[in-house]
Amino acid sequence: MHVYSYLQQFRDQQVQITGVFDHDQPRAECFAEEKKLVHFTTIVALLETDCDTVVICSENIFHKDYTLQALKAGKHVIVEKPMALNTVDAQEMIMAAQTAERLLMVAHPVRFAEPVQNLKKILDEGTLGALKLINSSNHGKNPGGWFIDPNLSGGGALIDHTVHISDLVNYLFRLHPKEVYAYAAKSQANLPVEDIGLVQIAFHEPVIMSLDTSWNRPKSYPVWGDAILELVFEKGQLTIDGFGRKVKVFNDENHSITDFYFEEDMDSLMIKAFIDAVDQGRPAPVSGVDGLYTVALTEAAYAAATTQQIIYLKEEIHA
């Protein structure tokens, strides 16, 4: 889904696009024709080119294998979130990047959004005192397609919508998760995966967190969803939507409601940060270890929802 945005961002930055590969050949051919790209019939053929970076926007199940192949071929990697479906695979990917001496960046664009960056400046000032409570949500629509095929996605809303907020919590607060409990359900009995999710986390720091991960937006909803943080501190409270600030337009003529975001696109900011890291020899703006943090929380949430038990995490699971 995000490949359309990333492709445009790279083109806007005058980055040459070598080509595209997809295990689904008809899908790849259609995309390549639409976007006027070279279509590679095998990933080996793509990796034999002189491109320096591979962007992996595949189904979740292929993230690890494609990343390892790209790193072995000497390419930098941007991989969609979640970077892997379990912590063991994520750690293997991190080690492979270290061995190859290449950048491994996990596509967590929300941390680059202007409201998040504004919030970080406020937090760095330290005037609000200690954080006490996080009430959060990452709502959205049921994306359908491979997202609801557990053999390709690894799960539903708990897999898809735990990652954004988890990354924000890691980026902004560097909290150490201790206990995770989660609830998952289906709004329709015939759904292959859960579309309702609620995650409760207690951290080693005296902070508790609630995260609603549900795909509960109807098809007619004007935007995809939200990435909301409600933060309670000793001396104040803040609420932001990581997806950005917007203008809402109500149109009586066609009975539509449309949202227009007026800040720079978070994907654009993320891609610019990655290009700068490559050009200037700096670490990846969102490292594999950052990605591991979100994978650990997602893995624990899914285990908690499946077993209906509290999952205890080691304090060392942290970026």
Side-chain angles (χ1 to χ4, degrees):
M1 298 173 68
H2 292 289
V3 69
Y4 289 90
S5 174
Y6 298 157
L7 174 64
Q8 187 59 52
Q9 302 305 331
F10 278 117
R11 283 178 164 169
D12 289 346
Q13 294 301 312
Q14 309 301 312
V15 172
Q16 179 182 351
I17 309 300
T18 302
V20 60
F21 162 77
D22 196 319
H23 69 92
D24 185 327
Q25 291 290 330
R27 182 169 63 187
E29 291 172 2
C30 180
F31 181 77
E33 181 178 357
E34 176 189 349
K35 298 300 180 181
K36 295 180 173 55
L37 296 172
V38 176
H39 167 223
F40 292 90
T41 57
T42 68
I43 191 171
V44 173
L46 185 148
L47 294 176
E48 287 177 343
T49 69
D50 63 354
C51 73
D52 61 18
T53 299
V54 173
V55 183
I56 299 171
C57 296
S58 68
E59 299 90 336
N60 296 339
I61 194 68
F62 299 117
H63 286 181
K64 173 193 168 183
D65 288 345
Y66 288 166
T67 295
L68 295 182
Q69 290 184 66
L71 290 170
K72 187 176 181 180
K75 314 299 185 184
H76 301 300
V77 172
I78 301 175
V79 60
E80 264 298 334
K81 67 280 179 196
M83 66 181 290
L85 292 176
N86 59 69
T87 53
V88 173
D89 286 353
Q91 289 167 335
E92 185 177 351
M93 294 159 71
I94 293 168
M95 291 299 296
Q98 293 173 350
T99 300
E101 297 183 341
R102 291 295 181 267
L103 298 185
L104 171 60
M105 174 166 152
V106 185
H108 282 296
V110 181
R111 64 162 66 187
F112 295 91
E114 287 193 40
V116 176
Q117 291 300 311
N118 294 156
L119 172 59
K120 193 171 190 313
K121 292 177 182 178
I122 295 172
L123 296 176
D124 290 344
E125 293 172 356
T127 57
L128 294 173
L131 177 67
K132 295 297 183 181
L133 170 68
I134 303 172
N135 184 37
S136 59
S137 65
N138 187 190
H139 298 133
K141 304 175 185 179
N142 183 332
W146 66 260
F147 282 87
I148 59 174
D149 181 348
N151 295 320
L152 296 175
S153 63
L158 273 180
I159 295 291
D160 189 36
H161 275 188
T162 301
V163 290
H164 280 310
I165 299 298
S166 297
D167 181 65
L168 290 183
V169 168
N170 178 40
Y171 172 65
L172 294 168
F173 303 109
R174 299 297 183 189
L175 297 174
H176 301 73
K178 178 175 65 173
E179 300 174 3
V180 178
Y181 185 73
Y183 168 82
K186 302 176 182 180
S187 63
Q188 302 174 46
N190 62 347
L191 276 175
V193 295
E194 78 284 351
D195 63 342
I196 298 169
L198 184 65
V199 183
Q200 308 286 338
I201 304 172
F203 297 92
H204 285 276
E205 297 82 357
V207 177
I208 58 175
M209 171 176 163
S210 174
L211 168 59
D212 184 347
T213 69
S214 303
W215 290 336
N216 61 359
R217 294 299 193 252
K219 292 181 180 180
S220 59
Y221 198 74
V223 292
W224 185 255
D226 60 45
I228 290 177
L229 288 175
E230 294 180 313
L231 306 170
V232 178
F233 299 86
E234 285 180 318
K235 301 177 182 179
Q237 178 176 346
L238 283 173
T239 301
I240 69 162
D241 185 346
F243 282 175
R245 290 166 282 235
K246 55 186 180 289
V247 176
K248 189 180 292 290
V249 177
F250 299 84
N251 189 324
D252 284 342
E253 291 184 2
N254 58 14
H255 305 289
S256 67
I257 303 174
T258 308
D259 285 340
F260 293 94
Y261 291 88
F262 53 86
E263 295 163 329
E264 184 172 358
D265 183 271
M266 66 180 73
D267 288 350
S268 172
L269 296 168
M270 181 183 73
I271 295 302
K272 286 179 180 177
F274 175 81
I275 293 172
D276 287 344
V278 172
D279 289 345
Q280 300 177 26
R282 297 202 304 260
V286 188
S287 69
V289 180
D290 289 328
L292 173 63
Y293 184 92
T294 66
V295 171
L297 280 179
T298 303
E299 184 180 45
Y302 213 74
T306 302
T307 62
Q308 297 185 350
Q309 295 180 349
I310 296 174
I311 301 298
Y312 298 92
L313 296 175
K314 296 180 180 179
E315 187 172 357
E316 289 76 15
I317 299 179
H318 183 258

